[in-house]
Amino acid sequence: SQQGEEDPQALSIQEGENATMNCSYKTSINNLQWYRQNSGRGLVHLILIRSNEREKHSGRLRVTLDTSKKSSSLLITASRAADTASYFCATTVGLTFGEGTQLTVNP
Amino acid sequence: NAGVTQTPKFQVLKTGQSMTLQCAQDMNHNSMYWYRQDPGMGLRLIYYSASEGTTDKGEVPNGYNVSRLNKREFSLRLESAAPSQTSVYFCASRGPNQPQHFGDGTRLSIL
């Protein structure tokens, strides 16, 4: 079963706008991770949030975690064309990834 | 610091041929993983190795074998390639309670 499922599947915005992606999972977790994948490349880790944390920031990234709803969100503020990529969430339990959100930032 | 290195980057095989995909990491990580990613899809775990000398099946292990040769290297073998195994294969490693580090993938086509 999928441990991380992202929503929406695709998102297209203009440069400078904010992008929000959501992730849902099924079982208890120790932490949740967000990754980015540029076309033709491997996944790159962006941010890890532990189960006892509710919000975490890293530069233009903000991640929230709601363990009661088994969901997380990734917010990218002031988006840039270089943020165009697929974004995946993953949990350590099951070691599985969802299908990702394809983000397109138009210049 | 090279991180996770996968070889080859591209390969074309005929149905029934065998080949081994190589993966090496230089971060002294205990855990290593093999995934496949089909077009427009997320990653599916094939096999993983929690430590040197151990391997375990993931979500889609059929048709594959693995070897954890030493702490650095984790290889994936296709004994008799099938067109359904056409995919991009990613290797990853990680340390305790840390996120995974990924290689750039091997693009495998089976005709």
Side-chain angles (χ1 to χ4, degrees):
Chain A
S1 62
Q2 296 286 353
Q3 281 297 317
E5 295 186 9
E6 297 85 357
D7 169 63
Q9 287 189 327
L11 182 61
S12 181
I13 59 174
Q14 296 299 123
E15 212 165 24
E17 293 180 339
N18 296 341
T20 300
M21 290 158 264
N22 302 298
C23 168
S24 60
Y25 57 93
K26 291 188 167 72
T27 64
S28 297
I29 60 171
N30 292 324
N31 60 63
L32 186 141
Q33 304 137 48
W34 284 92
Y35 292 81
R36 183 187 72 226
Q37 183 180 34
N38 291 93
S39 181
R41 304 299 299 273
L43 277 69
V44 174
H45 175 253
L46 293 175
I47 193 165
L48 180 152
I49 186 165
R50 303 192 188 281
S51 59
N52 61 353
E53 297 176 309
R54 291 296 167 260
E55 187 171 310
K56 197 164 184 179
H57 297 253
S58 177
R60 293 184 296 112
L61 306 180
R62 190 190 101 178
V63 168
T64 62
L65 180 64
D66 186 335
T67 53
S68 66
K69 295 181 179 178
K70 292 187 170 56
S71 68
S72 174
S73 67
L74 171 67
L75 168 67
I76 304 174
T77 60
S79 63
R80 305 166 182 169
D83 294 328
T84 293
S86 292
Y87 292 82
F88 297 89
C89 66
T91 68
T92 52
V93 176
L95 302 170
T96 56
F97 292 77
E99 294 180 8
T101 292
Q102 173 60 53
L103 173 66
T104 302
V105 181
N106 301 299
Chain B
N1 193 342
V4 178
T5 303
Q6 291 183 237
T7 56
K9 293 189 187 310
F10 303 93
Q11 185 70 47
V12 179
L13 295 177
K14 294 181 180 178
T15 296
Q17 287 186 315
S18 62
M19 91 159 287
T20 299
L21 280 60
Q22 307 286 352
C23 175
Q25 51 93 8
D26 60 4
M27 295 170 282
N28 203 36
H29 288 163
N30 284 326
S31 301
M32 297 186 73
Y33 308 82
W34 275 106
Y35 294 89
R36 61 177 287 173
Q37 184 178 35
D38 299 310
M41 302 285 287
L43 278 71
R44 290 186 292 169
L45 182 66
I46 304 171
Y47 270 94
Y48 67 101
S49 170
S51 62
E52 185 179 353
T54 69
T55 61
D56 288 283
K57 295 179 180 179
E59 183 184 355
V60 289
N62 292 343
Y64 305 95
N65 285 302
V66 290
S67 295
R68 184 72 183 267
L69 304 169
N70 46 55
K71 193 170 187 178
R72 289 187 66 247
E73 298 172 290
F74 188 37
S75 63
L76 178 72
R77 183 161 177 83
L78 286 70
E79 289 292 350
S80 179
S84 62
Q85 294 178 305
T86 292
S87 191
V88 182
Y89 291 85
F90 289 98
C91 177
S93 72
R94 74 180 181 97
N97 296 315
Q98 295 298 315
Q100 295 180 23
H101 295 256
F102 285 83
D104 279 339
T106 294
R107 281 143 190 82
L108 183 61
S109 293
I110 299 158
L111 308 176

